[in-house]
Amino acid sequence: MFSSLKVRNYRLFFLGQVVSNIGTWMQRIAQDWLVLSLTGSATAVGVTTALQFLPMLLFGLYGGVLVDRLSKRRALLFTQSAMGITGLALAVLTLTGHVQVWHVYLAAFAAGLATVVDNPARQSFVSEMVGPDQLQNAVSLNSANFQSARLIGPAVAGVMITGVGTGWAFLANGLSFVAPLVGLLMMRARELHVVERAPRGKGQLREGLRYVAGRPELIWTIVLVGFVSTFGFNFPVYLSAFADDVFHAGAGSYSLFNTVMAVGSLAGALLAARRGTAKMRVLVVGAVAFGTLEIVAAIAPSLWLFALLMAPIGMFGMTVNVTANTSVQMGTDPAMRGRVMALYMMVFMGGSPIGAPIAGWITDAYGVRAGLAVGGAIAAVAAVTIGLVLARVGNLRLSVGWNRGHPHVRFVPRETRERLAAAA
């Protein structure tokens, strides 16, 4: 389960990210709370979130082009420093009492600009640290790292905001970037897996898009992730509405739903690390299970049943994320990996600004149960459809049977059936 941590460079990277991810979750909580206290407006909080994701939507593909041209380690030194400085600037403004809401907007947009390069660089740098044999394990542990921070960071932020104020939470986040920077500086360059950089030239963005379009296993995986993230991952909309409007239980239940989901996501990431392979059937089955469980949760009659369903939903959602991420990386030429991962992250992260308003409209018009059920149904139908498309492209057929008393479902080559018919 933890085999990739034997690689010294990755171990340094992982430990740095443990500290930084906790700081990042602290800043998210502190940032939203600060905007709400400055304006009293939930819309202003939404604007802050939108500004943080907007650069990835606008410039994400160009970030991938840059990553393919640059040393990923040096690019990460720059982007991690930039995000640390952003946190420190907000800390100074808040602690001195000069902060205004436009300062927070600017900081959110600046952090978003840094992620345009940071996200594809971090994703593709993993393969340079561990190589192809440990890639699935390392990607899974990265996800487990992030989910662990999701459990710790908000709790620490809540204590710090209540005890000493939001400014100190920003300061803690700014200082947390020292850990990944030290880890990057301590790495042994000679132990990295050498990847040839793309030369500077015209048309590299179009070249990357053509590359993905010509690879069915890449384009359909990214399309599936787009459907799942856009329509299935709108939990800030759904969970708050279930807590308030359906179960009338308040903020405590909202926190419970998020915590249980984070635990399920962590379990899903660790199981993916143990599995060690990224198979397409795991991706499709995981997405079908994720969407189906959302439909079941939508009709859950009690708060506790709904809360319990959040664990497997988180687990299968993380299975989809890790499996898709790994299969895209392993199926991509190293010289193209930055551009391909930029497209992947743009689709994955960019789904929220599109899907959240749609989910909100369905919830307002027909109720949150309908909203969650529709999101789950779209994710499940997309998974089944794309699974059949990939099977057709790969000349496969669906085989259903029993193996030692257990149901057995898999795709097998069509030639097998034809050979059996000829033999008969």
Side-chain angles (χ1 to χ4, degrees), residues 41-102:
S41 168
T43 302
V45 177
V47 169
T48 309
T49 303
L51 286 171
Q52 206 157 349
F53 287 105
L54 185 62
M56 180 60 72
L57 271 175
L58 296 178
F59 312 117
L61 294 177
Y62 295 98
V65 173
L66 284 175
V67 167
D68 280 337
R69 293 177 184 172
L70 302 172
S71 161
K72 295 171 183 61
R73 184 183 174 199
R74 290 178 182 172
L76 286 171
L77 284 168
F78 174 79
T79 56
Q80 297 281 294
S81 298
M83 288 189 283
I85 291 169
T86 300
L88 293 174
L90 271 180
V92 170
L93 288 167
T94 306
L95 291 172
T96 58
H98 293 97
V99 70
Q100 298 179 37
V101 69
W102 71 268

Side-chain angles (χ1 to χ4, degrees), residues 16-332:
Q17 290 299 308
V18 168
V19 178
S20 178
N21 283 336
I22 291 173
T24 297
W25 275 105
M26 290 174 65
Q27 171 131 341
R28 287 188 183 185
I29 300 300
Q31 178 178 274
D32 291 349
W33 186 260
L34 177 60
V35 170
L36 196 60
S37 64
L38 288 172
T39 65
S41 168
T43 302
V45 177
V47 169
T48 309
T49 303
L51 286 171
Q52 206 157 349
F53 287 105
L54 185 62
M56 180 60 72
L57 271 175
L58 296 178
F59 312 117
L61 294 177
Y62 295 98
V65 173
L66 284 175
V67 167
D68 280 337
R69 293 177 184 172
L70 302 172
S71 161
K72 295 171 183 61
R73 184 183 174 199
R74 290 178 182 172
L76 286 171
L77 284 168
F78 174 79
T79 56
Q80 297 281 294
S81 298
M83 288 189 283
I85 291 169
T86 300
L88 293 174
L90 271 180
V92 170
L93 288 167
T94 306
L95 291 172
T96 58
H98 293 97
V99 70
Q100 298 179 37
V101 69
W102 71 268
H103 292 143
V104 186
Y105 288 164
L106 184 61
F109 188 75
L113 283 175
T115 62
V116 167
V117 174
D118 187 80
N119 271 333
R122 268 191 301 111
Q123 298 290 331
S124 52
F125 189 50
V126 172
S127 63
E128 293 188 20
M129 288 184 284
V130 302
D133 293 340
Q134 295 287 353
L135 182 59
Q136 162 96 7
N137 184 264
V139 170
S140 302
L141 289 182
N142 281 351
S143 298
N145 186 331
F146 187 77
Q147 294 304 321
S148 300
R150 182 181 172 186
L151 291 172
I152 299 169
V156 176
V159 172
M160 189 170 285
I161 292 168
T162 303
V164 292
T166 55
W168 293 100
F170 293 136
L171 180 62
N173 176 56
L175 294 176
S176 74
F177 284 95
V178 172
L181 290 172
V182 169
L184 288 165
L185 292 171
M186 289 178 63
M187 287 182 184
R188 295 170 183 161
R190 65 181 181 276
E191 294 178 7
L192 294 172
H193 294 254
V194 179
V195 174
E196 184 179 350
R197 296 183 214 166
R200 185 180 180 86
K202 293 182 178 180
Q204 289 180 323
L205 179 57
R206 290 192 298 274
E207 181 186 12
L209 293 174
R210 282 197 300 269
Y211 178 84
V212 173
R215 305 286 297 275
E217 71 278 13
L218 295 181
I219 186 64
W220 287 112
T221 298
I222 293 173
V223 168
L224 176 55
V225 167
F227 273 104
V228 172
S229 64
T230 300
F231 298 102
F233 272 73
N234 297 301
F235 295 111
V237 176
Y238 298 137
L239 299 188
S240 58
F242 265 95
D244 191 35
D245 300 335
V246 177
F247 299 120
H248 309 290
S253 62
Y254 177 59
S255 176
L256 172 66
F257 298 156
N258 279 284
T259 301
V260 174
M261 181 175 288
V263 171
S265 299
L266 178 59
L270 292 175
L271 287 172
R274 185 174 181 176
R275 192 162 50 242
T277 56
K279 295 181 179 178
M280 192 57 63
R281 69 170 180 266
V282 174
L283 173 62
V284 172
V285 171
V288 171
F290 172 81
T292 303
L293 283 167
E294 285 199 334
I295 297 172
V296 174
I299 58 176
S302 69
L303 183 150
W304 290 108
L305 179 58
F306 182 84
L308 286 173
L309 285 168
M310 290 302 103
I313 286 173
M315 185 181 73
F316 283 110
M318 185 54 62
T319 298
V320 171
N321 184 13
V322 171
T323 307
N325 188 312
T326 308
S327 62
V328 168
Q329 289 208 52
M330 293 184 70
T332 301

